[in-house]
Amino acid sequence: MKNDLLLKAARGENINRYPVWLMRQAGRILPEYRAVRNSLDGFKSLVKNPDLCCEVTIQPVDILDVDAAIIFSDILVVPEAMGLNYEMIEKKGPWFEKTIRSEFDFKKLDSNIDINDRLGYVFEAIKKTKKELNQRVPLIGFAGAPWTIFCYMVDGQGSKTFSESRKLLYQNPILAHDLLNEITNTTIQYLKGQIHNGVDIVQIFDSWAGILPKNQYEEFSMPYLEKICNAINEVPKTIFCKGAFSSIKNICLLNCETVGLDWTMNIPVVRTIVGEKKTLQGNLDPCLLYASSKNIEKETQKLLDSLSSKRHILNLGHGVYPDTNPENVKTFIKTIKNYEIN
Ligand code: 1CP
């Protein structure tokens, strides 16, 4: 591979500069993305079109000069594969017609699904993208963490509180574990399919980690993350648990190469916990990219100067916000690429 810095950093190998990519780099900020998106009748038509997924996956590599591509898809393809169809409503987000609130709902989910049959369109996009990338940079595969997917399957839409999901943990913990187990098994098959078709590294997004108290996070999310980590040994794994700083010590014990940090988390503190055993990823505030280019450079430089280990992948602390100016993203990336490690 021409540029394998991301994989080297993930494995803890020697690097002479830090790799950089951005969560949500493919579908949010580029006018070139919007042009492709607007040529279709909806988000799902894009997700199910391998040629166009390939095109928008590579756009940030060409335009922003990032050190990795992330396959254009969504975490919600997994509940759909399990039998819960979703719609992506313009300006509102995902909406599921059916939700899982009872054993009766749970029993109606499709069991023993054929992952190639249900999610073959993602695998097709991965195959095309790998070919098209021609070994320029690594391709990142991804899935939602079981807890985060559970939130959408139970609440049925985006939410600030996901109180239906949280209610179920108190009212029917056995059903909650049954559903989390099913999601976990499908996710493992899905990630193995992505790897089989060519992704070089995988990231698990636990976007709603931060809404649970520590004890519930460790009961209802972490055992499933652990199961996934132990099942996937073919490529390096990154675990990103947004907002779960109270469980960070235990997250750092997971069988993964990289731990993703959000912008509220303290890199030196986590470095003290992990020593040289893990790579850390993150964690500039996505809102920094609204600042002047001078301040973006200054704050990025400050983070780079503060790093005490080469086991680091530069990124934001969450996905890049949709109204971010791509020029500011370029400033962020250039600052990192010009920074030589001692
Ligand atoms: O029409 C559009 O363009 C819709 C916007 C959009 C896009 C571009 C959605 C709807 N999903 C995506 C793609 C997507 N989703 C990627 C592809 C690559 C990229 O953009 O770089 C990835 C990695 C995701 C992951 C994802 N989807 C997460 C986890 C990461 C995170 O940001 O926390 C989550 C929570 C989702 C759910 C989702 N998909 C889309 C929306 C609006 C939402 C969030 C809804 C909510 O707030 O609950």
Side-chain angles (χ1 to χ4, degrees):
M1 193 171 299
K2 287 174 203 110
N3 172 357
D4 63 351
L5 266 182
L6 180 90
L7 302 177
K8 282 192 166 143
R11 295 192 213 105
E13 293 167 16
N14 197 30
I15 48 171
N16 51 19
R17 73 165 176 83
Y18 295 106
V20 57
W21 68 281
L22 280 83
M23 289 187 272
R24 310 300 295 271
Q25 66 188 16
R28 273 192 164 168
I29 53 162
L30 295 176
E32 292 83 354
Y33 165 75
R34 255 175 238 125
V36 173
R37 172 76 175 70
N38 292 339
S39 72
L40 298 165
D41 63 359
F43 175 70
K44 284 179 79 175
S45 314
L46 177 51
V47 164
K48 296 194 174 178
N49 183 321
D51 287 322
L52 293 178
C53 284
C54 167
E55 183 178 336
V56 299
T57 297
I58 296 176
Q59 282 173 349
V61 179
D62 291 333
I63 300 164
L64 302 172
D65 201 24
V66 282
D67 292 311
I70 178 161
I71 190 66
F72 186 87
S73 187
D74 199 88
I75 63 169
L76 302 176
V77 302
V78 166
E80 185 169 69
M82 295 171 73
L84 287 193
N85 184 39
Y86 72 96
E87 282 174 51
M88 195 59 80
I89 299 169
E90 212 58 48
K91 296 200 170 74
K92 280 196 73 184
W95 189 78
F96 290 83
E97 190 185 315
K98 290 183 280 178
T99 53
I100 310 296
R101 307 262 172 102
S102 66
E103 271 97 6
F104 181 75
D105 296 333
F106 177 65
K107 287 205 182 87
K108 282 197 295 194
L109 283 175
D110 297 343
S111 53
N112 295 320
I113 57 167
D114 176 347
I115 209 78
N116 288 307
D117 171 51
R118 299 283 168 114
L119 292 168
Y121 60 92
V122 182
F123 303 152
E124 209 47 51
I126 288 169
K127 260 196 294 200
K128 277 196 194 317
T129 307
K130 271 302 280 184
K131 190 158 173 257
E132 201 69 30
L133 271 174
N134 195 19
Q135 301 289 95
R136 283 164 68 195
V137 291
L139 180 61
I140 305 168
F142 71 91
W147 162 247
T148 288
I149 297 300
F150 176 98
C151 284
Y152 289 100
M153 292 178 82
V154 175
D155 268 76
Q157 58 190 333
S159 161
K160 281 206 173 78
T161 57
F162 286 99
S163 51
E164 289 296 336
S165 305
R166 307 230 294 113
K167 190 198 286 181
L168 196 65
L169 303 188
Y170 288 103
Q171 294 190 340
N172 197 342
I174 294 174
L175 173 62
H177 279 299
D178 285 346
L179 177 55
L180 286 161
N181 250 313
E182 275 301 304
I183 300 168
T184 303
N185 294 338
T186 306
T187 302
I188 290 169
Q189 284 186 62
Y190 178 46
L191 289 169
K192 286 199 180 278
Q194 293 186 40
I195 295 162
H196 179 75
N197 284 284
V199 302
D200 302 290
I201 177 168
V202 293
Q203 173 156 328
I204 310 299
F205 287 91
D206 208 352
S207 303
W208 305 116
I211 65 176
L212 291 181
K214 177 175 159 71
N215 65 317
Q216 282 191 330
Y217 191 67
E218 296 184 0
E219 177 178 351
F220 293 101
S221 183
M222 293 203 52
Y224 302 100
L225 292 172
E226 189 172 20
K227 200 169 165 196
I228 293 172
C229 285
N230 289 336
I232 306 289
N233 287 303
E234 302 86 340
V235 299
K237 295 147 286 192
T238 301
I239 305 294
F240 172 62
C241 308
K242 185 174 178 289
F245 201 59
S246 61
S247 288
I248 197 73
K249 273 196 186 142
N250 288 327
I251 292 167
C252 288
L253 292 173
L254 289 168
N255 176 15
C256 63
E257 285 67 21
T258 303
V259 173
L261 304 180
D262 72 46
W263 71 91
T264 69
M265 297 176 175
N266 184 302
I267 295 175
V269 168
V270 184
R271 182 55 70 193
T272 308
I273 297 169
V274 297
E276 288 295 315
K277 289 203 178 83
K278 295 261 192 267
T279 301
L280 301 179
Q281 175 174 276
N283 70 344
L284 276 165
D285 181 0
C287 289
L288 170 66
L289 300 185
Y290 296 129
S292 65
S293 58
K294 213 174 132 209
N295 274 333
I296 295 170
E297 274 170 29
K298 195 176 114 202
E299 291 301 316
T300 306
Q301 193 78 30
K302 207 155 90 187
L303 187 144
L304 289 161
D305 284 337
S306 76
L307 297 175
S308 62
S309 166
K310 287 186 184 182
R311 286 201 77 164
H312 202 96
I313 298 164
L314 261 291
N315 206 310
L316 300 176
H318 197 200
V320 60
Y321 292 147
D323 59 347
T324 303
N325 183 343
E327 288 309 312
N328 292 3
V329 176
K330 286 184 195 165
T331 304
F332 168 67
I333 291 167
K334 265 192 212 131
T335 309
I336 296 156
K337 292 195 140 186
N338 289 334
Y339 188 90
E340 269 178 54
I341 305 178
N342 41 63

